């Protein structure tokens, strides 16, 4: 009897451990980057992924962030945190980008530029610019959605980086910048009034700064009000080389005085670029901003912030000159007596749910024929015909991709290629202005694996191909190991145990205003009425 009881306890313990392991796996915590150090401190970046132009707010005890998404769909990611360090991706505000006739095709570098999220009268607002059309707004009762269809707030080619402010008297205002590539004007910020519901801007625009002299390429404004001052936080000096400027005035239209409040200094954090001021429930001030890490995209840092004589100082000001420098680690924000579990955006995917994971995006508005989730434990990606004038992957919309999750990582996937005709191919790709992928292709009824690479794909760079290896089984394991600097090496396995190197070392490169991405393709040469497909069993990110 005693033996039975002990055995039962042991079995129960084993099951509990297995359950805990499964739960952790399902929660999809990152194995490659964790900002929370588990000892009351954190390290930067808090998001080692391409969440460009971040903006954030606090609503009660919850923090929400959004970021630029450019041509990637779904767009306008929504992230949630309880402590400004641990972030979960909870949804998107744009399921499709309009105008549809434009964004059903790849529009590299276009689409959603720097957005601004606000909470007003119990509703979430996100203002975002499309530099080719103007400034839009979407609204929602809950951050998870559903979000409204975009409404044009202010039409105008080259209007970017909108930031609203609702004043105490109920009046609403909109600050914004200009994209020189579209407007022919840059390094200028302007403010206009809006109607009270924030859905339509007026034509009473006033220039509040001309940055050509000492604030070149000033952009990304963020509007706030504190102690009777109107504040505009705005980076200047360029994405990879600039600094944070803050402007303040007693009148919404100025005149504004300005001060540099953070710069790279002696640190390794180049930029540091635009972001968001957030105040905790306990009155602490923090600033989220991005750093351009090129192939890895624009990663997100969290900086302590303090006020001195009604001017903010961001980061660490060791020489007391009023200009802070970024910190690489710090004590976690004080959000009250509670502590919260570790959280990271999703990376790995077992494809066990009949719904595509939030980490995945396409390069254009998705079409139902591209692929579908299943209830059979895999994602089904169809081999879509390439255009007749196909040159490389740069203009292919049906690439299923996600952000690079860390400086170093290994990505492994198990797929089954259900090709039906010669000329159909699939593979695992590192995608950017330069790209490389493992190509599994049917030729003369047989399957062959090779590495294909294209440099300067945006300039019509032609794909090169390494030696082909015949593959006997339709099920195969593909792998890429990424080292610091975006150095990529590819591997394959036919049994999931022994991995063999294939091809040449490849150095990842950023895309158009975005970091490099990793994911899948499924294509074919020519049109057929029953194309092949690839069943993606799982995709795992490990260290």
């Amino acid at each position: 009897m005693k033996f039975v009881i002990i055995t039962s306890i042991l079995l129960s313990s084993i099951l509990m451990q297995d359950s805990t392991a499964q739960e952790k796996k399902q929660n999809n915590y990152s194995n490659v980057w964790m900002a929370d150090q588990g000892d009351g401190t954190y390290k930067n970046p808090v998001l080692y992924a391409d969440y460009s132009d971040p903006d954030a707010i606090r609503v009660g005890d919850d923090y929400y962030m959004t970021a630029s998404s450019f041509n990637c769909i779904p767009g306008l990611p929504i992230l949630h945190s309880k402590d400004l360090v641990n972030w979960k991706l909870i949804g998107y505000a744009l399921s499709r980008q309009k105008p549809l006739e434009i964004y059903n095709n790849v529009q590299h570098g276009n689409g959603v530029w720097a957005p601004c999220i606000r909470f007003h009268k119990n509703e979430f607002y996100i203002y975002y610019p499309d530099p080719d059309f103007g400034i839009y707004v979407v609204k929602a009762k809950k951050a998870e959605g559903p979000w409204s269809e975009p409404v044009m707030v202010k039409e105008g080619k080259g209007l970017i980086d909108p930031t609203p402010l609702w004043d105490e008297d109920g009046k609403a205002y909109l600050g914004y910048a200009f994209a020189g590539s579209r407007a022919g004007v840059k390094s200028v910020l302007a403010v206009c009034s809006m109607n009270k519901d924030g859905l339509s801007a007026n034509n009473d625009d006033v220039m509040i700064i001309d940055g050509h002299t000492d604030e070149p390429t000033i952009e990304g404004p963020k509007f706030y009000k504190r102690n009777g001052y109107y504040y505009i936080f705005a980076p200047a000096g360029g994405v990879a080389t600039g600094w944070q400027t803050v402007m303040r005035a007693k009148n919404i239209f100025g005149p504004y005085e300005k001060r540099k409040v953070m710069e790279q200094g002696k640190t390794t954090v180049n930029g540091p670029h635009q972001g968001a001021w957030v105040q905790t429930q306990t009155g602490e001030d923090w600033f989220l901003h991005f750093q351009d890490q090129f192939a890895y995209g624009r990663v997100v840092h969290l900086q302590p912030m303090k006020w001195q004589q009604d001017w903010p100082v961001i980061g660490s000001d060791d020489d007391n000159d009023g200009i802070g420098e970024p910190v690489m680690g710090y004590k976690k924000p004080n959000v009250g007596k509670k502590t919260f579990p570790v959280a990271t955006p999703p990376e790995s995917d077992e494809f066990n749910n009949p719904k595509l994971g939030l980490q995945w995006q396409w390069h254009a508005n998705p079409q139902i024929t591209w692929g579908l989730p299943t209830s059979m434990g895999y994602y089904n990606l169809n081999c879509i015909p390439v255009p007749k004038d196909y040159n490389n992957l740069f203009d292919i919309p049906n690439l299923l991709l996600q952000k690079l999750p860390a400086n170093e990582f290994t990505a492994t996937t198990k797929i089954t290629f259900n090709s039906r005709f010669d000329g159909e191919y699939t593979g695992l790709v590192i995608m950017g202005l330069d790209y490389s992928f493992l190509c599994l292709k049917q030729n003369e009824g047989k399957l062959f694996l090779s590495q294909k690479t294209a440099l300067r794909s945006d300039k019509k760079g032609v794909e090169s191909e390494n030696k082909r290896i015949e593959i006997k089984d339709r099920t195969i394991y593909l792998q890429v190991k990424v080292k610091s600097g975006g150095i990529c090496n590819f591997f394959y396995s036919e049994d999931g145990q022994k991995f063999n190197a294939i091809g040449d070392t490849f150095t990842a490169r950023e895309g158009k205003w975005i970091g490099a991405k990793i994911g899948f393709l499924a294509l074919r040469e020519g049109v057929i009425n029953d194309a092949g497909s690839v069943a993606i069993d799982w995709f795992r990110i490990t260290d």
Side-chain angles (χ1 to χ4, degrees):
M1 183 68 177
K2 184 177 180 181
F3 173 77
V4 173
I5 293 172
I6 292 174
T7 303
S8 176
I9 292 172
L10 181 61
L11 178 61
S12 176
S13 176
I14 292 171
L15 289 173
M16 285 179 65
Q17 290 176 14
D18 182 66
S19 176
T20 302
Q22 288 296 321
E23 182 180 357
K24 186 172 183 181
K25 191 173 185 179
Q26 289 171 5
N27 283 336
N28 205 24
Y29 299 137
S30 176
N31 292 314
V32 293
W33 188 261
M34 198 81 71
D36 195 326
Q37 299 297 281
D39 59 0
T41 67
Y42 72 92
K43 65 178 179 180
N44 272 320
V46 290
L47 288 169
Y48 211 133
D50 185 31
Y51 288 98
S52 177
D53 309 311
D55 191 41
I57 55 171
R58 177 175 65 86
V59 179
D61 292 332
D62 298 281
Y63 299 88
Y64 298 96
M65 183 193 302
T66 189
S68 299
S69 50
F70 299 97
N71 60 292
C72 301
I73 291 294
L76 283 174
I78 309 295
L79 296 102
H80 171 258
S81 177
K82 283 288 189 178
D83 59 9
L84 291 170
V85 172
N86 295 286
W87 292 92
K88 287 185 177 181
L89 180 61
I90 61 172
Y92 293 87
L94 281 182
S95 59
R96 292 180 183 271
Q97 198 158 184
K98 293 185 176 180
L100 296 181
E101 64 272 17
I102 301 295
Y103 291 105
N104 284 347
N105 300 305
V106 181
Q107 301 290 331
H108 288 285
N110 302 337
V112 175
W113 284 24
C116 185
I117 185 169
R118 292 293 181 262
F119 189 72
H120 176 65
K121 290 189 175 180
N122 296 316
E123 283 189 298
F124 289 91
Y125 290 70
I126 296 180
Y127 288 77
Y128 73 90
D130 184 317
D132 292 307
F133 297 98
I135 294 168
Y136 294 91
V137 66
V138 292
K139 296 177 19 174
K141 295 290 187 182
K142 296 181 179 180
E144 297 87 344
W147 287 82
S148 68
E149 288 294 306
V151 171
M152 179 69 78
V153 176
K154 191 173 186 67
E155 188 174 357
K157 194 175 183 68
L159 305 186
I160 58 169
D161 304 350
T163 176
L165 184 140
W166 282 271
D167 215 339
E168 289 96 335
D169 60 5
K171 293 182 179 179
Y173 301 90
L174 184 72
Y176 59 92
F178 294 86
S181 60
R182 272 72 165 187
V185 174
K186 61 180 290 188
S187 300
V188 169
L189 300 181
V191 173
C192 67
S193 66
M194 295 193 292
N195 62 355
K196 290 184 178 182
D197 63 10
L199 300 182
S200 178
N202 299 315
N203 295 318
D204 54 359
D205 311 70
V206 174
M207 184 181 74
I208 57 170
I209 185 173
D210 182 345
H212 288 86
T213 302
D214 52 6
E215 303 287 348
T217 319
I218 193 165
E219 57 186 353
K222 296 292 170 59
F223 239 141
Y224 305 101
K225 193 174 185 183
R226 177 185 182 272
N227 288 353
Y229 281 106
Y230 298 94
Y231 288 91
I232 293 180
F233 288 53
V239 169
T241 55
W243 55 86
Q244 286 291 331
T245 293
V246 167
M247 305 161 53
R248 75 178 188 185
K250 289 289 188 177
N251 185 292
I252 191 82
F253 291 110
Y256 281 83
E257 53 183 332
K258 64 184 178 66
R259 179 177 292 186
K260 183 185 291 186
V261 299
M262 182 170 63
E263 63 184 0
Q264 177 176 349
K266 298 178 181 179
T267 75
T268 59
V269 183
N270 60 293
H273 218 66
Q274 75 188 64
W277 165 38
V278 182
Q279 189 173 77
T280 68
Q281 307 92 309
T282 62
E284 288 185 350
D285 296 293
W286 295 84
F287 189 75
L288 289 151
H289 68 92
F290 79 75
Q291 174 199 10
D292 189 359
Q293 289 203 2
F294 308 104
Y296 296 96
R298 301 173 183 184
V299 302
V300 180
H301 290 244
L302 176 66
Q303 303 295 337
M305 181 177 132
K306 60 184 178 181
W307 291 90
Q308 293 179 345
Q309 299 178 332
D310 286 323
W311 286 103
V313 178
I314 302 173
S316 176
D317 182 18
D318 294 336
D319 57 7
N320 295 312
D321 65 351
I323 304 174
E325 296 181 6
V327 301
M328 293 307 296
Y330 208 77
K331 183 180 179 181
K332 289 175 61 178
N334 181 0
V335 293
K337 295 182 179 180
K338 293 181 179 180
T339 57
F340 298 96
V342 168
T344 61
E347 299 164 357
S348 300
D349 199 337
E350 298 297 312
F351 297 104
N352 288 332
N353 298 317
K355 186 177 181 180
L356 189 60
L358 291 174
Q359 61 267 56
W360 301 105
Q361 294 174 294
W362 307 92
H363 264 183
N365 289 330
Q367 308 301 315
I368 197 169
T369 54
W370 292 355
L372 289 169
T374 73
S375 58
M376 296 169 281
Y378 63 89
Y379 187 86
N380 190 75
L381 198 61
N382 294 318
C383 294
I384 301 300
V386 297
K388 291 182 179 180
D389 58 350
Y390 174 79
N391 185 74
N392 61 47
L393 294 179
F394 188 72
D395 292 320
I396 296 298
N398 56 305
L399 303 179
L400 183 63
L401 305 170
Q402 65 167 280
K403 307 173 191 298
L404 302 189
N407 189 39
E408 296 191 341
F409 64 94
T410 297
T412 310
T413 185
K414 179 185 178 183
I415 63 173
T416 299
F417 188 31
N418 300 307
S419 58
R420 293 187 173 86
F421 301 94
D422 289 350
E424 295 179 332
Y425 57 103
T426 186
L428 178 68
V429 63
I430 297 286
M431 185 68 200
L433 297 178
D434 297 345
Y435 68 78
S436 189
F437 70 99
L438 291 183
C439 177
L440 184 62
K441 186 174 184 177
Q442 179 171 316
N443 185 40
E444 295 183 351
K446 298 178 181 179
L447 294 181
F448 295 90
L449 184 68
S450 64
Q451 180 195 32
K452 287 190 174 183
T453 300
L455 305 181
R456 296 172 61 84
S457 66
D458 58 323
K459 304 298 183 183
K460 304 297 182 182
V462 178
E463 286 182 354
S464 62
E465 182 179 20
N466 283 351
K467 182 180 178 181
R468 295 181 178 184
I469 300 170
E470 186 174 354
I471 300 297
K472 299 298 184 182
D473 197 327
R474 290 186 174 276
T475 297
I476 191 172
Y477 301 79
L478 305 178
Q479 184 179 85
V480 60
K481 293 185 177 181
V482 181
K483 296 300 182 183
S484 181
I487 308 301
C488 305
N489 287 285
F490 291 89
F491 303 83
Y492 74 98
S493 173
E494 295 186 84
D495 60 7
Q497 301 297 319
K498 180 184 177 181
F499 280 83
N500 304 298
I502 182 172
D504 298 325
T505 297
F506 167 75
T507 301
R509 188 179 168 207
E510 70 277 3
K512 186 67 172 176
W513 304 127
I514 63 175
K517 303 185 84 169
I518 184 171
F520 301 91
L521 57 93
L523 300 169
R524 74 176 329 275
E525 299 162 355
V527 178
I528 197 72
N529 68 353
D530 188 22
S533 63
V534 56
I536 308 170
D537 190 342
W538 48 257
F539 174 88
R540 295 171 185 165
I541 297 287
T542 56
D543 54 16

